[in-house]
Amino acid sequence: MIPGGGQPNMQQLLQQAQKMQQDLQRAQEELAQTEVDGQAGGGLVRATVTGAGELRALKIDPKAVDPEDTETLADLIVAAVHAANENASQLQAQKLGPLTQGLGGGTGLPGLPF
């Protein structure tokens, strides 16, 4: 309902929706290019992911490599990737949150909770 009982301007609503869609697409493209890092083991393992959650790089300090204990290295890798994905989720919320508030829908990026 429009205050005062008037009809909504459909042309204006359509233009606003198109602008919002363009802004959202631009933000998603920016997220896909932005990289964030996560680390584990005091920086022995570092993972780099895009703001869209794509794993781009994994760096392992030679000190973390013990042939007798590959289980710990695997745990550090998982923890670093998880930390990087958490940072990507925060970036997504920061960039897309204001654009998607009130839409009741997702961002169009797979795996996102909002």
Side-chain angles (χ1 to χ4, degrees):
M1 290 284 303
I2 302 293
Q7 292 295 320
N9 181 331
M10 296 307 281
Q11 182 67 22
Q12 185 179 16
L13 288 175
L14 181 60
Q15 288 173 349
Q16 288 174 343
Q18 287 173 337
K19 182 186 181 319
M20 192 180 332
Q21 185 178 16
Q22 290 169 349
D23 290 347
L24 184 57
Q25 185 175 4
R26 211 172 2 261
Q28 288 173 331
E29 290 168 359
E30 184 179 327
L31 282 171
Q33 299 303 315
T34 303
E35 293 183 348
V36 293
D37 292 318
Q39 63 177 337
L44 290 175
V45 177
R46 295 178 182 270
T48 301
V49 299
T50 66
E54 177 189 346
L55 181 62
R56 288 273 176 96
L58 187 62
K59 296 178 185 168
I60 301 171
D61 187 303
K63 293 181 231 170
V65 181
D66 179 357
E68 302 296 318
D69 186 15
T70 57
E71 204 170 295
T72 298
L73 178 57
D75 289 343
L76 290 173
I77 291 169
V78 169
V81 171
H82 178 74
N85 280 326
E86 285 292 318
N87 291 337
S89 291
Q90 290 175 6
L91 181 62
Q92 290 164 357
Q94 204 175 39
K95 295 276 186 191
L96 300 178
L99 297 173
T100 60
Q101 284 179 346
L103 293 179
T107 61
L109 295 176
L112 294 183
F114 51 90

